Amino acid sequence: MSTPKGLYAVGGSHASIYKMDNVTGSLSVLAQTTSAIVGLAFSGNTLCGITSSEFVTINPGTGKLEVVGQLSISGAQSMAASSAGQIYCIATPANQGTSLYTIDTQSGKATLVGNLVPGPAAVAPGCGGLAFDSNDRLYVTATAYNPGSLKTVCTLQTIDTGNGAMSLQNVAIAGVGTLPGLAFYGDNLYAISSTGALYAVNTFSGLATQIGSSNIAGVTLQNLCALR
């Protein structure tokens, strides 16, 4: 049976895989995995994931994991796949800055692309969701302390996949905190909060509009991806 197109999320106390309605934000539990998944991405029709130290493939119907290999880095976070199937992840290894890596889908090994150099509005950013648009432009949400406003702000930035440099796309994404998941589905960019709120994000203005929320009380989401 083919995997239905749409939004997919991971999280919860049992590392559940969810199908997420892109209109209401409601979640349908598809399966529970045996390991904590911190990142999800479809490479073609294959659902891939990362734990804090491993690259895996996931059967979205059963939750069964197949370990491809060790990432050889620690502190892995969200991931995304380009249209060609190249997988990228961000990670913050111990005593190191946050960086962009590629992942070899045959061995699971992560290779450093470059340190994430913050855009002009971000200072020592913490990165959340990661997603490619239809033109293979890589977007990331970055949460950082702004010394000018004395506030922590969330910004939408793009990443140069050649060197990891980040470029600010707009002003702060207003009214939201950390957004751990990003995904393009159709022509729209979606984001989730850790508590299951679903947002539509305008890539030009940075405006995040809540369009739905989880129907599962107390859920904690880690990441978001889409099968297009």
Side-chain angles (χ1 to χ4, degrees), residues 23 30-31 62 73 82 84 97 108-109 114 117 137 151 158 172 176 196 216 223:
V23 176
L30 299 179
T62 65
I73 55 171
S82 70
K109 185 177 180 180
V117 180
R137 197 177 197 191
K151 295 181 179 179
T158 57
V176 301
I216 301 176
N223 208 217

Side-chain angles (χ1 to χ4, degrees), residues 75-120:
Q77 300 169 43
S78 53
M79 62 190 292
S82 70
S83 61
Q86 176 62 66
I87 293 180
Y88 293 80
C89 78
I90 50 178
T92 308
N95 302 316
Q96 299 181 42
T98 302
S99 299
L100 180 70
Y101 297 81
T102 57
I103 297 177
D104 187 315
T105 57
Q106 300 300 310
S107 68
K109 185 177 180 180
T111 300
L112 178 67
V113 174
N115 295 326
L116 294 182
V117 180

